[in-house]
Amino acid sequence: PSHSQSKVKLYDLHPSLADFRTEIIKGLQQPQKAISAKFLYDKKGSELFDQICDLDEYYLTRTEMGILKDNAHEIASLIGDGVLVEFGSGSSQKVRIILDAMKQLPIYVALDISVQHLYESCHNLVEAYPDLNAIAICTDYTQPLHLPKIPLIENKYKVGFFPGSSIGNLEPVEVVEFLKNVGKILQPNGSLIIGVDLKKERSILEPAYDDSQGVSAAFALNLLTRINRELKANFNLDNFIYRATYNELGRIEMYIVSLKNQVIKIDDVEIEFKQGELLRTEHSYKYTCTEFQSLAAQAGFQAKCVWTDSQQLFSLHYLTF
Ligand code: AVI
């Protein structure tokens, strides 16, 4: 029996949660209505996103897991005795594929914004890998950040891990800023393993973001339910639909569409929607390998190697800083 509870060290940097009300109202008062994708992930939203990951049409998760499995030994040897730093660790599932292939477990640092999810996931991980040294840092990894002084990892070779193609939900300019920030955390001589969804035919991409069971639609529309509940708003969900389209900018654009002219109240604030008006919930950019490598180069990363699946659906890049 292992007494692993004490093996997770938690540092809570108390990320300032953006003011939900202020950001939502600001987003809805813009000429092109838009809401930041981070607000999709309340409890229900996180559950729906997990369901999306299991959909037949959503090839991303299983394809990336396959690439990780197929190359786990090479990845493990690249990490060696370095410190593995995961950005947005969520439920820390994919990292297990790497840990399973390591001769000696690395020190694992998990960064995530949700303190409870972070701590529970690290705790479960340490249960499964009793010899793992896990450090959980609660922080908003999309904001410029410094790691606290942790003697165990200071001056050690660090390998960043950012799976899931979450990088695709940032605008390209934000990608460069984010990667610069990642580089600062990993330096000197750090490296990064990052999952990036590849450009491909519309006939594969669009169903992945608008599936036959309507889970993707429910995921987006849950944002309105959340606003109704938390901000005393009166969105009628029957008057809105979800739409996802891939366009020549190389991105999936996800929208909520108003089915009629209507005025919504958020507490005492009125928001007008025209029939057919769009509220943007997310962008999901797709990159060729060379497109992504040149973005990464702008942030000071050198492309060392890229792994893909046999159908060229998804890429996993290994970059050094
Ligand atoms: C989290 N992120 C990588 C997902 C994606 O594929 O862009 C978010 C998502 N939204 C709807 N389906 C998936």
Side-chain angles (χ1 to χ4, degrees), residues 126-139:
V126 169
E127 293 264 275
Y129 302 84
D131 292 328
L132 186 73
N133 233 316
I135 298 170
I137 304 179
C138 181
T139 183

Side-chain angles (χ1 to χ4, degrees), residues 199-216:
K199 285 208 162 103
K200 62 183 67 64
E201 308 87 89
R202 179 185 302 271
S203 60
I204 300 176
L205 280 167
E206 286 184 347
Y209 289 87
D210 196 0
D211 61 279
S212 54
Q213 292 176 56
V215 185
S216 307

Side-chain angles (χ1 to χ4, degrees), residues 18 20 23-24 27 33-42 45-46 49 113 141-142 165-171 174 209 219-220 222-223 226 252-256 279-285:
F20 186 53
E23 282 210 33
I24 295 295
K33 293 181 170 64
I35 290 178
S36 166
K38 67 184 172 204
F39 294 124
L40 292 164
Y41 299 87
D42 63 350
S46 302
F49 182 65
I113 194 159
Y141 67 84
T142 65
S165 201
S166 295
I167 195 84
N169 298 122
L170 301 179
E171 297 300 313
E174 296 172 326
Y209 289 87
F219 174 65
N222 175 57
L223 187 59
R226 178 177 182 190
I252 295 271
E253 298 181 350
M254 287 165 263
Y255 295 105
I256 291 170
L279 157 57
R280 196 189 77 215
T281 55
E282 278 184 285
H283 282 160
S284 190
Y285 281 85

